[in-house]
Amino acid sequence: KNGCLIVMNNSRRGEVYFHDGMVTYADVDRKKGEDAVYRLLSWKIGQFKFDVGAAAKTRNVQKSAEGLLMEGMRRLDEFLPVAWLFSLN
């Protein structure tokens, strides 16, 4: 329940910290907080590890994990049809 999820995608790296199962801090591709989580959810591939016990020094995420996932999926649902249209050209 406590630790850091580290995700790597080629040279890209994301970190999402959890405390008592809640997301507390995220940093992905120079994005911070909730926007960082949404960026990470858009990655199609990657490798990950979980560093048990790691703790963030600050907090930059206020939403629940469920709220982050719901908003992230909503954003992807809106983005994918637009991205498909641009891929036709």
Side-chain angles (χ1 to χ4, degrees), residues 39-58:
R39 172 67 56 93
L40 186 63
L41 290 173
S42 73
W43 291 5
K44 293 182 181 180
I45 60 170
Q47 297 176 323
F48 70 92
K49 67 178 182 175
F50 191 76
D51 185 3
V52 176
K57 295 179 182 172
T58 61

Side-chain angles (χ1 to χ4, degrees), residues 34-85:
E34 294 168 11
D35 285 337
V37 175
Y38 304 143
R39 172 67 56 93
L40 186 63
L41 290 173
S42 73
W43 291 5
K44 293 182 181 180
I45 60 170
Q47 297 176 323
F48 70 92
K49 67 178 182 175
F50 191 76
D51 185 3
V52 176
K57 295 179 182 172
T58 61
R59 182 180 186 111
N60 66 8
V61 176
Q62 303 304 320
K63 282 189 178 180
S64 68
E66 294 83 9
L68 290 167
L69 288 173
M70 292 296 289
E71 176 63 14
M73 294 301 103
R74 183 192 68 77
R75 288 180 180 211
L76 285 175
D77 283 346
E78 289 179 358
F79 172 76
L80 290 176
V82 173
W84 181 80
L85 286 173

Side-chain angles (χ1 to χ4, degrees), residues 4-40:
C4 178
L5 176 66
I6 301 165
V7 184
M8 290 148 295
N9 177 350
N10 296 322
S11 64
R12 301 161 76 188
R13 178 184 170 101
E15 296 182 356
V16 180
Y17 286 84
F18 296 85
H19 181 74
D20 291 334
M22 298 293 295
V23 177
T24 58
Y25 182 88
D27 183 349
V28 179
D29 285 349
R30 295 182 307 231
K31 299 249 184 222
K32 305 257 189 236
E34 294 168 11
D35 285 337
V37 175
Y38 304 143
R39 172 67 56 93
L40 186 63

